Amino acid sequence: MEEVPKTIIPCHIAVIMDGNGRWAAKRHMPRSYGHQQGSKAVERFCEDAYHLGVKYVTVYAFSTENWSRPKEEIDTLMGLLRDFLKECIKKSKKNNMRVRILGDVARLDRDLQFRIAELTEKTKDYDGLQFQVALNYGGRDEILRAVKKTVAAVQNGTLTIDEITPESFQRFFDSTEIPDPDLIIRTSGEQRLSNFLLWQSAYSEFYFTDVLWPDFNKKELEKAIEYYGKRERRFGGV
Ligand code: IPE
Ligand code: IPE
Ligand code: MG
């Protein structure tokens, strides 16, 4: 009997959701409208990915560099995040979804920090989709914060220099409990990391598409997964 090829499903997909502004501009609409639609696309993405068998989804929502955008746009993005996190509390209970935040939350408004703490605490035992939102996240910032914690551990005697290994170092990462991404998707035609998961992407596969984030749907996700299934993953061996 002929064997039906099985699709290989990545365990962890991370997404650089790009192109909201251009999506809105094409429609002669303000950028905020693009962000609104982009936020709806996140919800769909999580559902679709989970139904296809993906266990971990990480989305890049706001980078450490995005603070350089106009204040009005930052306010819109933070407002959407506020609503998104509120919705998330309801949705995660229904869908058994665990939510974690990657990034330095200390720079966010107090009410957002409170909401994040509540969300991460309330969902910590849920074993459905493991959903990470990268918020005020920068790969360089995450590495530097881990360096500082490592130095402090050496100074207070809980770690020796010889004990500094990739494993002990990444214990100080925001992503410490999460496996490295198998597949990183970036939308909107750009082909760069923009400071996303610099350490964790060492052996990730990449999928780039011209589709703008608000248009990214289940079909596009299936294309990305199909592409992933055709890759021969290598980790430096023969
Ligand atoms: C991605 O869309 C969302 C964030 C970076 C928050 P952009 O806002 O970067 O959209 P473009 O790249 O300007 O089209
Ligand atoms: C990357 O998109 C950050 C997020 C998706 C949150 P940007 O639009 O900010 O990145 P650049 O400026 O094109 O590299
Ligand atoms: Mg962009």
Side-chain angles (χ1 to χ4, degrees), residues 58-70:
T58 302
V59 297
Y60 202 6
F62 194 88
S63 75
T64 46
E65 286 71 34
N66 287 148
W67 294 109
S68 64
R69 294 192 179 200

Side-chain angles (χ1 to χ4, degrees), residues 17-23 31 35 61-62 66 69 73 77:
M17 316 182 285
D18 201 8
N20 292 352
R22 277 163 283 171
W23 185 90
R31 292 177 64 83
H35 292 314
F62 194 88
N66 287 148
R69 294 192 179 200
E73 181 166 350
L77 285 166

Side-chain angles (χ1 to χ4, degrees), residues 2 30 40 43 60 74 81 98 104 111 122 130 137 150 152 154 159 167 171 174 190 195 203 206:
E2 204 187 324
K40 289 188 185 161
E43 233 174 82
Y60 202 6
I74 294 174
L81 273 164
R98 179 170 186 179
D104 187 359
D111 72 301
K122 278 201 173 147
Q130 305 290 292
Y137 177 86
T150 305
V154 171
L159 192 74
E167 289 70 32
R171 239 174 265 145
D174 303 332
E190 309 303 335
N195 206 6
Y203 278 98
F206 288 87

Side-chain angles (χ1 to χ4, degrees), residues 20-220:
N20 292 352
R22 277 163 283 171
W23 185 90
K26 265 174 58 182
R27 288 161 180 76
H28 310 286
M29 295 294 279
R31 292 177 64 83
S32 55
Y33 181 60
H35 292 314
Q36 252 173 37
Q37 298 305 310
S39 138
K40 289 188 185 161
V42 181
E43 233 174 82
R44 292 198 304 266
F45 185 89
C46 286
E47 277 170 30
D48 295 340
Y50 191 56
H51 288 136
L52 289 167
V54 178
K55 185 76 186 164
Y56 293 83
V57 164
T58 302
V59 297
Y60 202 6
F62 194 88
S63 75
T64 46
E65 286 71 34
N66 287 148
W67 294 109
S68 64
R69 294 192 179 200
K71 183 175 181 303
E72 198 194 315
E73 181 166 350
I74 294 174
D75 289 346
T76 300
L77 285 166
M78 292 300 154
L80 282 168
L81 273 164
R82 204 167 261 118
D83 297 344
F84 184 81
L85 294 174
K86 210 194 295 175
E87 274 299 300
C88 242
I89 294 202
K90 286 188 236 153
K91 292 247 160 72
S92 40
K93 187 157 190 229
K94 198 171 133 229
N95 301 323
N96 200 25
M97 174 175 83
R98 179 170 186 179
V99 188
R100 294 174 175 96
I101 304 294
L102 310 182
D104 187 359
V105 291
R107 189 167 168 192
L108 304 175
D109 287 351
R110 289 299 290 267
D111 72 301
L112 272 175
Q113 292 187 39
F114 180 76
R115 202 159 273 177
I116 287 167
E118 189 189 11
L119 185 60
T120 44
E121 174 58 30
K122 278 201 173 147
T123 66
K124 71 178 192 314
D125 295 323
Y126 295 163
D127 61 1
L129 181 70
Q130 305 290 292
F131 178 47
Q132 288 67 238
V133 184
L135 201 46
N136 188 24
Y137 177 86
R140 289 177 175 178
D141 179 64
E142 183 183 40
I143 292 168
L144 277 186
R145 283 186 285 114
V147 166
K148 288 180 189 171
K149 287 177 189 157
T150 305
V151 171
V154 171
Q155 278 175 343
N156 71 26
T158 52
L159 192 74
T160 67
I161 289 183
D162 287 341
E163 283 166 351
I164 303 175
T165 60
E167 289 70 32
S168 71
F169 182 55
Q170 63 197 20
R171 239 174 265 145
F172 294 115
F173 276 25
D174 303 332
S175 64
T176 179
E177 297 167 315
I178 297 146
D180 289 345
D182 300 293
L183 174 65
I184 296 183
I185 297 175
R186 182 165 188 155
T187 57
S188 87
E190 309 303 335
Q191 304 197 0
R192 56 178 171 270
L193 269 177
S194 300
N195 206 6
F196 190 43
L197 302 176
L198 297 183
W199 173 283
Q200 298 88 334
S201 61
Y203 278 98
S204 303
E205 299 290 332
F206 288 87
Y207 180 79
F208 298 108
T209 170
D210 288 339
V211 171
L212 302 174
W213 175 248
D215 287 332
F216 196 92
N217 56 23
K218 191 171 183 192
K219 258 210 164 74
E220 300 300 332

